[in-house]
Amino acid sequence: MNATDAVFYIAVLIMSVVIHEVSHGFAAEAFGDKTARYAGRLTLNPLKHLDIFGSVILPIVLVVSHSPFLFGWAKPVPYNPNNLSNKKWGTLAVASAGVITNFSIAIIFGILLRSVSGLGAGFYFITSVIVLVNLALGIFNLVPIPPLDGSKILFSLLPSSTYRIIGFIEQYSLILLLVFIVFFAESLRPILAYLFNLVTGLAI
């Protein structure tokens, strides 16, 4: 991957994680919580959302090391579950919003990729990157390790009797996440390849 392609990949990733986070805020607002709006986080301005490690350093390291799986994250959009009109379903909706948004973007651009022809290699490259990055974000965020969305989705569905297990996972979440990234992130690649082919009809 040349420097220009790397910069474009990272730019798409940053905007995708920003949209991901903003969708959490809008989902919370739909259930009555305006915390994100009051915090000025319902904006697509990336400077309001960037996490130095998750949005910049990690993606650069992954690109430079030719990682087959590009992902990252932004600063979580704040919300107060106590303000939600329905705490259980509101929490689930907020947790799911980012992943649903990333998959929706991937599907929309995948349909565009399948439907349009004759626009040149640049169009296909750009569209493919948008699909690939958003699928990767959606898949990665479904991993049930805090602070990823998959953990919030899972925890919102588990009975209260599992609070000790949840507490243990949350206590060691950073270590668990780093172990997953280093040793197990590669296991997500076949899922990514399958979904990319399903959405676009192309192979990675």
Side-chain angles (χ1 to χ4, degrees):
M1 183 185 301
N2 60 45
T4 302
D5 289 352
V7 170
F8 183 75
Y9 265 92
I10 293 173
V12 171
L13 176 66
I14 288 173
M15 286 310 303
S16 297
V17 296
V18 166
I19 294 171
H20 175 107
E21 288 301 329
V22 170
S23 69
H24 287 308
F26 278 115
E29 189 170 63
F31 277 84
D33 176 45
K34 297 182 181 294
T35 303
R37 183 170 297 279
Y38 295 150
R41 296 292 301 281
L42 294 186
T43 173
L44 294 179
N45 179 359
L47 297 179
K48 295 285 189 178
H49 302 279
L50 291 186
D51 176 276
I52 295 300
F53 180 76
S55 308
V56 181
I57 297 175
L58 179 60
I60 290 174
V61 170
L62 293 175
V63 168
V64 171
S65 63
H66 303 289
S67 170
F69 202 90
L70 180 66
F71 52 82
W73 56 82
K75 291 188 294 186
V77 166
Y79 86 100
N80 185 344
N82 293 322
N83 292 336
L84 300 175
S85 57
N86 185 308
K87 191 169 183 179
K88 178 179 179 179
W89 293 110
T91 299
L92 183 60
V94 173
S96 304
V99 172
I100 292 172
T101 297
N102 287 133
F103 284 140
S104 297
I105 292 172
I107 291 170
I108 290 169
F109 279 88
I111 293 172
L112 184 63
L113 193 62
R114 286 177 175 267
S115 304
V116 179
S117 60
L119 293 184
F123 167 80
Y124 291 104
F125 171 74
I126 293 171
T127 309
S128 295
V129 169
I130 293 172
V131 173
L132 188 65
V133 168
N134 278 278
L135 285 177
L137 283 174
I139 295 167
F140 178 65
N141 274 284
L142 281 176
V143 174
I145 301 174
L148 301 180
D149 298 330
S151 66
K152 299 182 181 71
I153 295 170
L154 177 63
F155 295 166
S156 67
L157 297 174
L158 291 176
S160 57
S161 58
T162 59
Y163 74 94
R164 289 186 179 178
I165 297 174
I166 294 173
F168 173 84
I169 294 174
E170 290 178 335
Q171 182 178 359
Y172 296 100
S173 60
L174 180 58
I175 296 173
L176 292 172
L177 184 59
L178 290 174
V179 168
F180 179 84
I181 290 173
V182 173
F183 296 105
F184 299 103
E186 177 67 21
S187 64
L188 300 179
R189 181 176 172 79
I191 302 173
L192 176 61
Y194 172 78
L195 290 180
F196 183 80
N197 175 258
L198 183 67
V199 170
T200 67
L202 304 173
I204 294 178

